[in-house]
Amino acid sequence: ATKALRSGDYATCIQITDKAIQARLFGEEYYLLKAEAELQTGEYKSALETLVSGLARYSWSVRMRYLGIEAARMTGDSKQASV
């Protein structure tokens, strides 16, 4: 998934990470990669939803919180972005 993201193959990255998330594989990285790919493709609401879902499982993730702020800014959700 990381290789797909870095090479610009965002659809493949989203597909791989979505399968991993659905299979409940361990690791916050799947949520981060999926959200980053969604942001790159302009799917800002989907990215925010991915991160909110990830934070429900990995509430301690500082990286997800930070990316969540960025996603909230992109969606225009100033309340969520200021958290």
Side-chain angles (χ1 to χ4, degrees):
T2 302
K3 190 180 276 188
L5 178 71
R6 301 296 174 233
S7 68
D9 190 358
Y10 304 121
T12 299
C13 179
I14 291 170
Q15 183 181 22
I16 291 168
T17 54
D18 194 47
K19 285 181 182 177
I21 291 167
Q22 295 302 317
R24 301 210 26 98
L25 295 179
F26 181 79
E28 68 177 321
E29 199 67 28
Y30 296 112
Y31 292 93
L32 289 164
L33 290 170
K34 183 178 182 204
E36 194 172 331
E38 289 168 334
L39 288 172
Q40 292 297 323
T41 58
E43 299 175 36
Y44 306 127
K45 272 194 163 184
S46 294
L48 186 56
E49 290 169 4
T50 296
L51 292 164
V52 168
S53 175
L55 283 168
R57 187 167 180 197
Y58 302 101
S59 60
W60 46 263
S61 176
V62 174
R63 295 188 305 162
M64 267 198 274
R65 290 181 185 279
Y66 179 76
L67 193 55
I69 291 170
E70 294 301 313
R73 284 185 186 144
M74 297 290 199
T75 62
D77 187 348
S78 58
K79 182 181 177 191
Q80 184 88 13
S82 65
V83 172

